[in-house]
Each structure stands twice: as structure tokens, then as C-alpha cells.
Amino acid sequence: MARDQVDLLVDARWLLPMEPAGEVLERHSVAVRAGRICALLSWQEADERFEARERLRLERHALIPGLVNLHTHAAMTLLRGLADDLPLMEWLQEHIWPAEMRFVTPEFVHDGTLLACAEMIQGGITCFNDMYFFPEAAARAVIKAGMRATLGMIVVDFPTPYAADPDDYLSKGLALRDQHRANALLSFCMAPHAPYTVSDKSFEKMLTYAEQIQVPIHVHLHETEEEIRESLRQHGVRPLERLRRLGLLGPGLVAVHMVHLTAEEMELTAHANASVAHCPSSNLKLASGFAPIAQLVERGVNVGLGTDGAASNNRLDLFQEMRTAALLAKAVSGRADALPAHRALEMATLNGARALGLDKAIGSLVPGKRADMVAVDLGPLELSPCYDPRSHLVYAAGREHVSHVWVEGRPLLQDRQFTTLDAKELAARASRWGRRIADARADIRPGGN
């Protein structure tokens, strides 16, 4: 009897499909045809049913869906380590924003985003939700890398090298979306930066567009206590209530950070079916606080994981975020079972896809979905023995154990080697930018020329 033809068969020691929740399949294969998963089946069944153009046997690996980085500023890899150990607003106003005004150009964004793509691919991230200037340059980098991305149509209420005013930001973002609507790897969202940088008028305009073109709204929210105090002073209400009154609190909202929340605000978020992008390492590094993730999850809020930008983390590493999120949830709630490993994995995969409206395409390994997959080697000495791959992926393994990455069945990383990017070229670009930025900062320091 003739066997069905497929493009790719990946045989893994463990397969974690994410749907049903917590399931682990042993010695199973994923069959891929035309970029989509067409079957999950045992090794023996795969032998009997399929003839594959390419077959990969991974005897000691876990195969998982590609990780989804729900919040980052990819191009800021070029500002990594520029100004550390500072409070958020001092870090932004005195260091990051001035550096951006001076250096951020399409070339900066392209090179910084390409560097970020490389780091994320090496760490098993196949999709990221970005918020930054010159998104057209980011799009070029994403296409070159072969990744999947949701690009933010960013708006702030002040001029930058990218745009002159809110209408200019919007028109440029919408034009970019129209240009790339046919690209299955690119999607878009409205990206008002934060309540303290965006006016009511701009929020209302972005909501209108978001509803018309059916895209999420991606915004920093309740990150610091200072942000809340300033909102009370200027608007008479806390930021979440301000957005609720403007109509933004709904299923399309991706609220980033959500550190400082009352019980009522958590209930409102849950009732609205909004999503939260939890960035534990950034929150810790900027001393923003501890987000009440266990309480949000208990209320049914969809929580995904983000790295934030490399300038405030300083890693684009979702393995680190999974582990940190799980440990923090336990410590903050006082319950060891507050965020078990399989839930942390869901936050890094299916929940992130759901927040971006991409869960029908990615986020789990089920027939019909796109073949965005990651193989993690659980065989090294430091990971032996392995009783539960879910536990190992969250508490023991790291991005250095990622061996293979596919997006729509196309390999981006094979045996830890890039297939679409040139590591030496990227390192050279990063080095050039580093020298340029360091020299310019030296010139403006006391005693400089």
C-alpha cells in the first residue's frame, strides 16, 4: 500500500502539543505538508503511513510549539546595557529617549531587529509582538530572518525621527499594514505606547481603526506606581479606568506589565477578556514590582510572556521568563502550586498566540495549524535524568538547549546553526553600531570634546 507523501517528519522522544492542556506524548512524530501540521502519530504509525522528503529522528528531544514573545522592542538590542540599574522614568527620560532621538533610523531598526531575530531564533522564539519606530525596517528584518511577527503601528503624542504627530504615526503604520497584508508571517496591531505618552484623542482614534481592521491594541499599562499617581493627578482616574472609559478595555487589548492592580481591576480585566503580557525580568530589573499573575490566572485572564526590550532585561530569552514567572508566582502567592510548569509553557506558547489573535494558526501542535516548532535537547548531563519534560523545560533547560527551529515547516535553526542568517555579519553590524553609540556618548560627557 502506497504511503502518503509529506515534506517533513520529526520524530521526538517527547511531544508537547499544548492542546489538550498538559499532555505529553512519548515517541511521537509530527508530519508536515505545505507548511502545516497534517498529523501527530506514534513513530510506528508514522513509518506505516508516511513517506517523507525529509525525516529527523530526535531520540532525546522535546518538541514544542514555537515560543511567542508577547512584548518586545526588538531593535533595542543595539542599546543593550546602555544604561542599567536605574528607575524606569529616569532610564527612559535621561538615557533611552535621548539616545533614540539621536540614533534611531531605519538602518538602526533593521540591524537591531535582525540581531534580535537571531537571538530569539536561537532561543526557540518563532513569533514576537513588537513595538518600535520605523516598523517598515523591522518588517524587512523579519522577512529576511523568516520569523513570524506582529508589528506595532506605534503612536506617541510627540515628534520623533519616525513621525511628526499622531496622524503621521497612524498613516505610516496603516500604509505598512496595507503593503504587507498578503504576507502570512506578518500581522499588525495598534501600539499606543502608554497612557502617559498618548492623549485621549489619539487613543480614541486608534480604537476606531482597531475595530475597523480587526487588530489588537498593544499598550504598556500599570507598569509603575508613578504612572498611576500621574494618571490620578492629570485625569482623576487610574490608567486602566481611563482606558475603560475610552472603550479600549476589551478582548483585543494586550496590556503589558499590569504590575500594580487592585482586586477590582483584576476582575475588570477578566470580565473584559483582555490579555496581559507579563514581563517578569524587566519588572524586576527596573524595580517596577511583582505582577499578581497567580491572581490574574485564577480569574481566567489570558496571560502570555514577554521579554520587553534588550535594553531593560537584558535578554530576549523566554526560557528565562518561563522560569522566573513560575518562581515569582509561587513566592508572591505563597503557594508552590500557583503556576505549575505546564501553565508556564502555555503562557509562552498558546496564550501568547491567543492574545495576538493567532491561536487558530500557531501556539500548539495540532493538525491544521502552521508548523512553527522547536526541538529542545533534554539529553545533556545537566538535564539527566528526565522524569517530566514539562518540568525540565521550565525549571532546568535553557535556550542553549534549543537545537532546531522551524516556522511553517521551514528550518531556521538546524543543529544550532542558522539557515537564514549570517552570525558573523550580524556581529560585525552590532560592533559598528556599538562603537558609533559609545563614541557619541563619550563626546557629550563632562570632559568630552
Side-chain angles (χ1 to χ4, degrees), residues 197-400:
T197 55
V198 178
S199 67
D200 286 359
K201 181 180 178 182
S202 295
F203 273 127
E204 289 170 342
K205 189 171 292 188
M206 298 187 83
L207 175 62
T208 298
Y209 281 118
E211 291 175 341
Q212 288 176 351
I213 61 178
Q214 294 294 292
V215 296
I217 298 174
H218 174 205
V219 61
H220 299 93
L221 193 62
H222 282 233
E223 184 174 3
T224 66
E225 291 178 329
E226 182 181 350
E227 171 196 338
I228 294 170
R229 286 193 297 268
E230 188 63 17
S231 179
L232 287 167
R233 187 184 70 81
Q234 288 193 13
H235 303 282
V237 294
R238 290 162 66 92
L240 186 70
E241 174 61 15
R242 180 180 162 215
L243 295 196
R244 187 193 70 79
R245 293 182 183 184
L246 292 170
L248 277 78
L249 183 57
L253 183 68
V254 181
V256 184
H257 298 297
M258 296 288 269
V259 174
H260 302 281
L261 297 171
T262 65
E264 181 183 5
E265 287 167 340
M266 287 186 266
E267 293 289 349
L268 282 171
T269 304
H271 183 71
N273 291 320
S275 294
V276 169
H278 179 36
C279 304
S281 294
S282 178
N283 294 341
L284 288 169
K285 185 167 182 285
L286 294 171
S288 299
F290 306 112
I293 296 304
Q295 296 179 61
L296 287 167
V297 172
E298 286 169 359
R299 287 167 167 82
V301 175
N302 181 58
V303 179
L305 289 177
T307 60
D308 213 338
S312 66
N313 183 316
N314 295 9
R315 297 157 62 98
L316 306 181
D317 181 355
L318 275 187
F319 281 87
Q320 174 176 289
E321 301 309 318
M322 282 194 289
R323 185 171 191 269
T324 303
L327 298 181
L328 274 177
K330 300 172 193 303
V332 171
S333 68
R335 293 188 291 105
D337 63 352
L339 185 61
H342 74 274
R343 296 295 184 197
L345 278 167
E346 287 175 4
M347 288 167 63
T349 54
L350 186 56
N351 289 7
R354 186 176 291 124
L356 298 175
L358 298 176
D359 52 307
K360 291 184 179 179
I362 64 168
S364 60
L365 302 180
V366 298
K369 286 197 176 185
R370 304 288 183 175
D372 292 13
M373 309 182 296
V374 172
V376 185
D377 186 355
L378 298 184
L381 185 64
E382 67 271 17
L383 300 181
S384 300
C386 178
Y387 303 111
D388 183 345
R390 301 169 302 179
S391 171
H392 260 32
L393 287 165
V394 174
Y395 298 124
R399 63 182 180 181
E400 66 273 16

Side-chain angles (χ1 to χ4, degrees), residues 2-59:
R3 292 182 292 174
D4 291 341
Q5 295 290 317
V6 293
D7 299 320
L8 175 67
L9 268 176
V10 181
D11 310 323
R13 173 67 177 81
W14 297 280
L15 176 60
L16 285 70
M18 296 301 140
E19 293 183 282
E23 183 171 60
V24 177
L25 303 173
E26 296 196 36
R27 295 178 176 85
H28 267 62
S29 305
V30 175
V32 178
R33 184 188 295 120
R36 292 184 182 270
I37 297 168
C38 57
L40 307 182
L41 64 178
S42 69
W43 289 359
Q44 181 179 344
E45 290 172 317
D47 289 338
E48 296 169 354
R49 182 175 167 187
F50 292 116
E51 180 74 30
R53 185 184 307 167
E54 178 186 358
R55 187 163 189 176
L56 189 63
R57 178 63 66 95
L58 300 173
E59 299 271 2

Side-chain angles (χ1 to χ4, degrees), residues 36 139 143 147-149 174-188 370 408:
R36 292 184 182 270
I143 291 168
M147 288 185 73
R148 190 181 303 276
L174 292 166
L176 179 68
R177 175 185 174 272
D178 289 342
Q179 179 185 345
H180 291 286
R181 287 183 69 177
N183 190 325
L185 296 182
L186 293 180
S187 55
F188 293 84
R370 304 288 183 175
E408 297 207 342

Side-chain angles (χ1 to χ4, degrees), residues 94-111:
E94 298 183 21
H95 299 275
I96 297 303
W97 286 345
E100 287 177 331
M101 291 296 288
R102 183 163 185 175
F103 297 110
V104 173
T105 62
E107 181 189 11
F108 175 101
V109 172
H110 174 269
D111 291 355

